[in-house]
Amino acid sequence: SFARIAASALAVRVSSSATASARHPSLRAVAPASRFTKPTQTLARSVTTMAAAGDEKTAAIEAHLKGMANSGEATIFDKIIAKEIPSDIIYEDNLCLAFRDIAPQAKTHFLVIPKIRSGLTQLSKAEEGHKELLGHLLYTAQKVAKQEKLDQGFRVVINDGVEGCQSVYHLHIHVVGGQQLSWPPGC
């Protein structure tokens, strides 16, 4: 539940850096979960980035506690689209952009993102008017997968919300492949 996750993240935040590294992998709750039913502005401001590179679970918790899902602020993906942050772009059209993930989880790992969010911060917020864009993103994912020579198969992943390990609130599709993948993923 969110209360358990929030208490765990806060426990990591307030502990010393030596203790944090010991608690971080399991994110054990050390504070009463009932005190944390939703992120508050005070709690969100007090959370600093503690996630190590590639630690999507902690990054997702931090993004949620900071209120990033509803902030409306520019995301790292907005900055990549604006070419303010360099990335290895492998495809671009008028609606979307595909680029290599900076922390690949397979031999080939790229993201497909819409250039304009239009309120589509996560899949669960999709509305009727997003259907065409969502179809275009999936079509582009397979098109780029072919370009990347993922002829033997690939996986498409969309993380949604804190329990889905979403750390950037700008809808994005992960495409992973280039090797034999296992099942079930992320359980």
Side-chain angles (χ1 to χ4, degrees):
S1 76
F2 173 72
R4 178 180 48 77
I5 292 169
S8 299
L10 185 61
V12 170
R13 164 67 179 97
V14 298
S15 58
S16 70
S17 59
T19 307
S21 62
R23 291 183 190 166
H24 185 280
S26 63
L27 289 174
R28 281 175 271 156
V30 296
S34 61
R35 292 179 51 210
F36 307 102
T37 57
K38 63 181 181 176
T40 63
Q41 287 184 344
T42 304
L43 178 60
R45 279 193 302 266
S46 70
V47 176
T48 59
T49 302
M50 301 274 303
D55 183 357
E56 289 303 309
K57 183 176 180 180
T58 302
I61 292 167
E62 289 172 359
H64 184 75
L65 291 174
K66 290 177 180 179
M68 297 303 292
N70 300 312
S71 75
E73 294 179 27
T75 67
I76 189 169
F77 296 160
D78 290 314
K79 294 175 183 178
I80 289 172
I81 293 164
K83 310 295 194 271
E84 295 170 10
I85 295 177
S87 65
D88 187 0
I89 297 171
I90 55 177
Y91 178 85
E92 184 172 8
D93 64 24
N94 61 333
L95 296 176
C96 68
L97 187 74
F99 56 93
R100 297 194 192 285
D101 195 294
I102 60 167
Q105 300 300 303
K107 286 182 183 175
T108 302
H109 184 172
F110 62 88
L111 303 176
V112 180
I113 63 172
K115 285 186 169 181
I116 299 173
R117 280 188 281 172
S118 301
L120 197 53
T121 57
Q122 43 192 125
L123 186 58
S124 61
K125 303 227 176 176
E127 297 175 355
E128 184 82 18
H130 292 124
K131 288 183 352 182
E132 186 176 336
L133 177 59
L134 290 168
H136 183 75
L137 294 171
L138 284 174
Y139 177 79
T140 300
Q142 68 81 31
K143 181 178 180 176
V144 177
K146 286 179 183 175
Q147 173 185 306
E148 293 293 306
K149 306 207 181 326
L150 298 179
D151 303 325
Q152 298 299 311
F154 55 92
R155 181 170 293 153
V156 174
V157 177
I158 300 175
N159 299 331
D160 189 280
V162 66
E163 289 190 6
C165 282
Q166 184 175 6
S167 58
V168 179
Y169 284 87
H170 184 133
L171 181 77
H172 53 287
I173 298 173
H174 293 263
V175 180
V176 294
Q179 66 187 58
Q180 180 61 57
L181 303 173
S182 62
W183 192 262
C187 295

